[in-house]
Amino acid sequence: MPISKDELLKGRDKQYPNDYTQEISDNLDKLLIPLNKIRDAYGKPMTIDSGWRPPSINGSTPGAAPIQNTC
């Protein structure tokens, strides 16, 4: 079964609509292509713990990479 965008988002797109931009949505669509190739090649179920975290969650997650402004 392919990884879905909902599996990556875990409802955070609806919980944090002001942080969930079209750019993030587009990037997740692109990310799903290689993720599903990896899942298919692995041949076993895989669990996605986090595909996207809004800044407020990411900032309080130990070991998370800092948010970088690309503008």
Side-chain angles (χ1 to χ4, degrees), residues 1-50:
M1 174 181 246
I3 299 168
S4 69
K5 189 183 270 189
D6 287 340
E7 190 175 352
L8 293 177
L9 291 169
K10 304 209 177 289
R12 292 179 179 148
D13 55 327
K14 293 173 184 52
Q15 291 175 309
Y16 301 90
N18 294 332
D19 293 321
Y20 185 67
T21 65
Q22 186 62 49
E23 180 181 18
I24 291 168
S25 178
D26 293 345
N27 285 338
L28 288 176
D29 288 336
K30 292 175 189 175
L31 178 64
L32 282 169
I33 295 167
L35 281 180
N36 280 309
K37 287 180 182 180
I38 292 167
R39 183 181 257 185
D40 287 344
Y42 187 59
K44 298 177 186 173
M46 297 169 67
T47 301
I48 304 296
D49 291 329
S50 181

Side-chain angles (χ1 to χ4, degrees), residues 46-63:
M46 297 169 67
T47 301
I48 304 296
D49 291 329
S50 181
W52 173 70
R53 295 184 204 132
S56 59
I57 291 177
N58 198 64
S60 63
T61 302

